[in-house]
């Protein structure tokens, strides 16, 4: 049983002792450990059963600290960092030798983020190393958005989870590669493409697809509940699967004729932020309920709707 606590100093102690712990951010909970220590990073991969070809994001609390472990900070990236950190966006930059190869799966770039959570910023400010922190879930499963989600799968493996409440954004960070001439979005996430475009002007989107990519957060099947999940028109799918016990995830509307206990509305007012905040908790909830199949509809493909749709599509892949 991991200890779930709001004690920031205890979190700092564990990290200084080379342990890995659950750490809140505004996106999802991370499984955090000293990014400079190969043995600690190995423990993270082991705990998650994460393949070694899937690189980790490195977290710290200030742009000055980022400078210590990148070999180059292109001016566009620096400006972007100052504008948007702390926040739900990760920048890929050329790495310095301080970052062990295991963190980046041998790539010569490192993914960096300053997360926007007061308790975690406090933790990071008191460390003289950055922390590597992938989502605190077994590889491929739905990411955790509460301390209890972390405990559900990591209780036997980690000593401590810092409880920072339910995460406010609820999906992972957007990843932008700034080591290329034109910034390239590698993963959709908590900062919308529209907001990024406003700041950078030119931006490419190059989401990885396929079953063996360099960036496996982008594996076709990811964020997936154990129950089969299908996406499309809810009424049609309900009719088609009338012989089964159905759970429903809708964008704004309740579906008539279905038991409300088995229906989850992401945002009745059509607020993308509210929807992203709810998404993973709803997936986990339905996964634990007595249903045979989860039926979901896509959101409008704009702002955070795009990132939510990306997660729903990957969750539906087997
Ligand atoms: P997460 O599982 O949320 O910690 O996100 C980690 C993801 O960040 C990986 O699955 C990759 O998709 C991406 N990533 C990490 N480091 C790099 C890098 N150096 N270059 C490109 N993508 C990276
Ligand atoms: Mg993850």
């Amino acid at each position: 049983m991991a200890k779930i606590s709001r004690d920031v100093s205890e979190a700092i102690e564990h990290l200084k002792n080379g342990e890995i712990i659950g750490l809140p951010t505004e996106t999802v909970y991370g499984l955090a450990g000293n990014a400079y220590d190969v043995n600690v990073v190995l423990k993270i991969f082991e705990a998650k059963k994460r393949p070694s070809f899937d690189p980790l994001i490195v977290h710290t609390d200030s742009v000055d600290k980022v400078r210590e472990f990148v070999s180059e900070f292109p001016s566009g990236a620096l400006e972007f960092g100052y504008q948007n950190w702390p926040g739900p966006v990760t920048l890929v930059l050329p790495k310095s030798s301080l970052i062990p190869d295991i963190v980046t799966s041998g790539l010569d770039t490192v993914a960096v983020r300053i997360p926007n959570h007061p308790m975690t910023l406090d933790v990071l400010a008191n460390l003289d190393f950055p922390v590597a922190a992938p989502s605190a879930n077994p590889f491929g499963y739905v990411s955790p958005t509460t301390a209890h989600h972390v405990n559900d799968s990591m209780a036997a493996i980690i000593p401590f989870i810092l409880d920072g409440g339910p995460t406010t954004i609820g999906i992972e960070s957007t990843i932008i590669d700034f080591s290329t001439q034109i910034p390239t979005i590698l993963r959709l996430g908590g900062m919308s493409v529209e907001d990024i475009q406003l700041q950078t002007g030119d931006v490419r989107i190059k989401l990885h697809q396929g079953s063996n990519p360099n960036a496996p957060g982008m594996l076709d099947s990811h964020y997936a509940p154990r129950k089969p999940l299908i996406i499309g028109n809810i009424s049609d799918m309900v009719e088609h699967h009338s012989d089964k016990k159905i759970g429903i995830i809708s964008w704004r509307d309740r579906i008539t004729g279905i038991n409300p206990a088995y229906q989850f509305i992401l945002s009745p007012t059509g607020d993308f932020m509210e929807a992203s905040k709810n998404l993973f908790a709803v997936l986990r909830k339905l996964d634990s309920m007595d249903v045979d199949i989860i039926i979901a509809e896509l959101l409008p493909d704009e702002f955070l709707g795009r990132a939510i749709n990306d997660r729903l599509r990957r969750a539906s892949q087997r």
Side-chain angles (χ1 to χ4, degrees):
M1 178 76 188
K3 178 173 176 185
I4 300 179
S5 156
R6 298 180 55 81
D7 187 346
V8 166
S9 18
E10 197 173 341
I12 295 167
E13 276 316 300
H14 283 295
L15 289 167
K16 284 184 175 168
N17 289 337
E19 276 155 325
I20 59 174
I21 64 168
L23 203 64
T25 79
E26 80 280 34
T27 59
V28 301
Y29 273 69
L31 191 63
N34 184 347
Y36 288 164
D37 187 328
V38 173
N39 291 320
V40 173
V41 176
L42 272 170
K43 278 199 263 183
I44 296 176
F45 276 96
E46 174 66 14
K48 273 186 71 78
K49 304 263 174 282
R50 181 166 172 129
S52 61
F53 57 75
D54 190 358
L56 306 180
I57 297 175
V58 172
H59 299 73
T60 190
D61 67 299
S62 80
V63 171
D64 280 342
K65 286 190 184 170
V66 174
R67 287 173 195 280
E68 288 172 18
F69 58 84
V70 302
S71 63
E72 229 182 292
F73 214 142
S75 60
L78 189 61
E79 201 183 316
F80 193 88
Y82 275 120
Q83 285 286 331
N84 299 286
W85 281 337
V89 62
T90 295
L91 305 188
V92 172
L93 298 167
K95 85 174 189 76
S96 85
S97 56
L98 276 177
I99 301 287
D101 287 337
I102 180 182
V103 171
T104 64
S105 305
L107 297 171
D108 51 15
T109 53
V110 59
V112 186
R113 186 165 92 88
I114 301 180
N116 190 14
H117 191 291
M119 290 162 81
T120 290
L121 284 170
D122 198 0
V123 171
L124 295 169
N126 283 285
L127 301 174
D128 56 7
F129 52 82
V131 303
S135 50
N137 55 294
F139 184 71
Y141 191 60
V142 183
S143 299
T145 57
T146 68
H148 286 280
H149 291 163
V150 179
N151 194 56
D152 286 345
S153 47
M154 296 290 160
I157 305 171
I158 59 176
F160 184 85
I161 302 164
L162 185 64
D163 188 355
T167 61
T168 51
I169 304 270
I171 53 173
E172 295 80 358
S173 61
T174 305
I175 300 178
I176 312 179
D177 188 349
F178 266 97
S179 71
T180 54
Q181 196 77 37
I182 298 171
T184 307
I185 296 177
L186 302 178
R187 176 175 76 185
L188 300 172
M191 180 172 183
S192 72
V193 175
E194 288 87 341
D195 283 349
I196 292 165
Q197 260 160 351
L198 276 181
Q199 290 181 35
T200 60
D202 219 358
V203 65
R204 287 211 186 100
I205 305 182
K206 198 173 138 201
L207 309 180
H208 223 303
Q209 245 117 37
S211 55
N212 188 21
N214 292 325
M218 308 308 296
L219 281 173
D220 284 348
S221 174
H222 213 76
Y223 317 107
R226 286 174 289 266
K227 302 270 166 70
L229 181 146
I230 53 173
I231 47 184
N233 179 283
I234 293 183
S235 310
D236 292 351
M237 290 189 294
V238 166
E239 206 175 301
H240 192 256
H241 293 278
S242 55
D243 55 329
K244 300 196 180 77
K245 286 185 213 149
I246 293 170
I248 289 177
I249 303 176
S250 66
W251 162 219
R252 309 181 53 150
D253 302 318
R254 191 164 291 292
I255 313 302
T256 47
I258 297 276
N259 181 346
Y262 292 88
Q263 285 194 49
F264 294 85
I265 304 173
L266 291 179
S267 173
T269 58
D271 175 352
F272 287 120
M273 273 280 264
E274 185 184 22
S276 71
K277 184 177 155 61
N278 287 331
L279 178 67
F280 287 150
V282 164
L283 282 172
R284 280 174 179 259
K285 178 80 188 152
L286 278 166
D287 214 12
S288 73
M289 289 172 71
D290 177 28
V291 302
D292 303 321
I293 190 168
I294 304 170
I295 287 176
E297 66 183 351
L298 293 176
L299 278 59
D301 233 349
E302 56 183 14
F303 298 99
L304 291 193
R306 270 170 96 151
I308 294 168
N309 289 345
D310 170 84
R311 300 303 186 269
L312 283 170
R313 287 197 182 98
R314 291 179 203 277
S316 73
Q317 294 289 321
R318 295 275 118 188

